[in-house]
Amino acid sequence: MTTKPVFKNPRATHDFLGRSCSISGVGSYVPERILTNAELEKLVDTTDEWITSRTGIKERRIAAPDQYTSDLATAAAQRAMKNAGVTPEQIDLIIVATITPDMPFPATACLVQRKLGARRAAAFDLEAACSGFIYALEIGQQFIMSRTYDTVLVIGAEKLSSITDWQDRNTCVLFGDGAGAAILQNREGAHGLLTAVMGADGENSDLLSMAGGGSRCPATVESVNSRMHYLRMEGKETFKNAVQAMVTAAKEALRRCELDVSAIKCIIPHQANRRIIDAVGDRLGATPEQLFVNLEKYGNTSAASVAIALDEVVSSGRLQRGDLILLVVFGAGLTWGAAVIEW
Ligand code: UT7
């Protein structure tokens, strides 16, 4: 029996030309090691009070030295596959959204393919920073709707601790490691991604970046000594852009689905800063109960952020099939996005 959508959606994916794209399982993984604000007080000139009041973050997870982005991604993927009842042989495509690949090449997605034993799968990485998971969901869905593939594994995974400058108090208190994954499948009458808005603004690419390690500034003794292989952020400007872009993207996603924000069961914003989340919620007219927040436990995990949160929302049991979820993200690039999912 198929559930009748309760709203009109011009881009509805249900049974479109005989194809439906459903999220048939999600999963996540965070490393065991917890780094608390109290520990950071010993590392840089900061306080638990400052970090908590300015960001909402209390602790974050840090991967072991021999644990890489592909390991975090694989662990999350295995959980999503188990929840979806999907075997490695069924996977047609693996997309890994990350800014912290194991190495510049080959793609982390290929390393995940090997670790999963997903021999049939094509694999590539996608770089849209903290917005990567929504970009990857939309691209994965396009492959399914175009009849190219039937089963796509989408992962957001980061080992941000590997590009964090542990001497820079402006950034080192903000980030953490982790991964989240989703299985997209062509399933008759199923529900999934209803719409995805994606945007970018390269004019503001300098606000959040890592200058070293690419073709512009390959690794040299000088680049390492001048700490160019760590991420840098202009926090205040990034904050302002984040609020504006997330609100605009979320409103556009709702408009496309002809939905009022009150119809959304759960809003999952990128987990960068509690004050950004509250400002976005306010401007959308959302209630505090609608907003999902877990950044106190993990900090900002970039592409993994909303993927981990989606898994936590699903496993908390608060969703019924047919409930509507709004994901909204923002990151370096600048990039941003919003997606409406019918669960
Ligand atoms: O995921 C991608 C998107 N990322 C984001 O959206 C993050 C956006 N930005 C932010 O979340 C916030 O801007 C921060 C949390 C990074 C900073 O908060 P803020 O309220 O914008 O603070 P600020 O940068 O204006 O800094 C205020 C003061 C400064 O001191 P002075 O110049 O006023 O004396 C900083 O040096 O706080 C100081 N400060 C700190 N103090 C204690 C900066 N970091 C710290 C720290 N501990 N860790």
Side-chain angles (χ1 to χ4, degrees), residues 274-317:
R274 179 77 215 210
R275 291 183 294 139
I276 294 177
I277 293 174
D278 290 341
V280 170
D282 271 1
R283 289 177 201 197
L284 290 178
T287 63
E289 296 71 40
Q290 284 175 291
L291 290 173
F292 182 79
V293 182
N294 66 0
L295 91 173
E296 69 283 358
K297 295 188 288 183
Y298 307 129
N300 180 349
T301 57
S302 184
S305 162
V306 291
I308 295 171
L310 178 62
D311 181 44
E312 290 200 345
V313 169
V314 171
S315 49
S316 73

Side-chain angles (χ1 to χ4, degrees), residues 186-218:
N186 172 41
R187 285 233 210 120
E188 204 183 325
H191 301 160
L193 191 61
L194 300 182
T195 196
V197 173
M198 301 187 294
D201 170 22
E203 294 294 334
N204 278 310
S205 54
D206 288 343
L207 290 182
L208 178 49
S209 62
M210 186 174 86
S215 59
R216 183 161 116 187
C217 176

Side-chain angles (χ1 to χ4, degrees), residues 3 17 72 97 144 190 263:
T3 315
L17 298 177
L72 312 182
I144 287 177

